Amino acid sequence: MIGHSEEFEKMARLEGQLWWYRSLHKRVETTLRKQFGDRKTIKILDAGCGTGGMLEYLRKKGYTDLRGIDGSPDAIAVCRQRNLPVTSLNLNELAHFEPHNQYDAIICNDVFCYFTDTDLFPLVRALRQRLKPGGILVSNNNAFNAFEGQHDIAVGVIRRFVLSDFAKMMSGMGMRIIDSTYWSFALSIPILLMRQWQRLQLAIGWRKAEEAQSDVYLPTPWLNDTLYRITEIEQKLFRRTPFGSSLFIVVITDPVGR
Ligand SMILES: C[S@@+](CC[C@H](N)C(=O)[O-])C[C@H]1O[C@@H](n2cnc3c(N)ncnc32)[C@H](O)[C@@H]1O
């Protein structure tokens, strides 16, 4: 993703409007409220904050102690234009960065998919070290290989996850998954069909990998709104759904840190 300037430009333009981002931002904020009630002064870090849509959303919701980290100069430039408190840093260096700073909540959305196990384990350990006792890690991730499509190629994703990938990793690091869901269940079949169709087109040469486009584009307003409503209703009605192109997890530190 780092270096894909056009993707950061699209992200910056659309993350406040596109149904998928709106739904994710709301899901994160609902999680923070569930865990911390109305405390808006909790310390929050967005690790791999991109162009800052999540931070901006939380700022609008009244959260005051926000910090972002990203390794992309394009993303950091947008965050600074938005006057968001961000630091440019390769997350592989996180273990050595401000070791004294600890957070109540760390958000890490759609970042782990850029890390092989060799780098992911140290990253998760470094995030763990930055959490206060009882602090939470909130992380959205792309899920199930069956959903791989041209979006993955366009944004350079190298892997997709299932829940068991995280369950093992977290328990080995003194953390516990307290909530998880695949989403959007209601939209999973159309998304799956669309992605499989894209893969077929790539396989038979109707589409070229170099021309792959990400899913970050705005549909017509009525469709964008309808898709948002569907995910919103799903979120209200079901705490957990078993299938979808994303996996949302909430992880808490064990009382005695390791
Ligand atoms: C798909 S974007 C997600 C951005 C944001 N979390 C969101 O939900 O919109 C992935 C982000 O991870 C950042 N990233 C990937 N690898 C990184 C690394 N090694 N160090 C720092 N940032 C990294 C990219 O620059 C990009 O902003």
Side-chain angles (χ1 to χ4, degrees), residues 30-190:
T30 305
T31 302
L32 294 178
R33 256 189 296 116
K34 221 187 267 178
Q35 195 66 21
F36 301 104
D38 287 334
R39 284 171 54 206
K40 298 289 168 98
T41 53
I42 53 167
K43 264 173 89 83
I44 300 174
L45 172 68
D46 189 350
C49 60
T51 47
M54 182 78 247
L55 290 170
E56 194 160 67
Y57 180 85
L58 292 175
R59 184 167 64 183
K60 279 191 191 137
K61 290 284 174 188
Y63 289 88
T64 53
D65 199 337
L66 299 166
R67 177 86 180 268
I69 287 179
D70 203 281
S72 154
D74 294 307
I76 290 291
V78 175
C79 289
R80 294 209 168 122
Q81 275 163 23
R82 290 173 163 174
N83 214 9
L84 291 165
V86 290
T87 301
S88 173
L89 183 81
N90 186 331
L91 286 170
N92 289 313
E93 313 290 318
L94 185 65
H96 313 290
F97 176 72
E98 296 181 357
H100 54 280
N101 241 341
Q102 287 198 312
Y103 297 86
D104 296 288
I106 298 180
I107 301 162
C108 193
N109 286 337
D110 297 292
V111 173
F112 294 157
C113 56
Y114 297 101
F115 290 74
T116 61
D117 277 354
T118 313
D119 292 328
L120 182 59
F121 281 58
L123 172 60
V124 174
R125 189 164 285 119
L127 294 173
R128 161 76 182 88
Q129 282 161 359
R130 292 306 138 81
L131 282 172
K132 293 180 184 175
I136 57 168
L137 169 65
V138 182
S139 180
N140 193 66
N141 294 281
N142 39 20
F144 293 115
N145 290 335
F147 285 100
E148 202 184 311
Q150 65 163 344
H151 176 85
D152 299 50
I153 299 171
V155 300
V157 160
I158 62 164
R159 66 195 298 187
R160 292 184 155 263
F161 295 90
V162 289
L163 185 57
S164 59
D165 295 326
F166 291 115
K168 269 183 272 168
M169 192 191 322
M170 299 303 170
S171 69
M173 291 188 197
M175 292 192 281
R176 200 163 27 92
I177 298 176
I178 52 170
D179 216 345
S180 67
T181 186
Y182 293 101
W183 69 286
S184 159
F185 185 57
L187 300 174
S188 60
I189 297 304

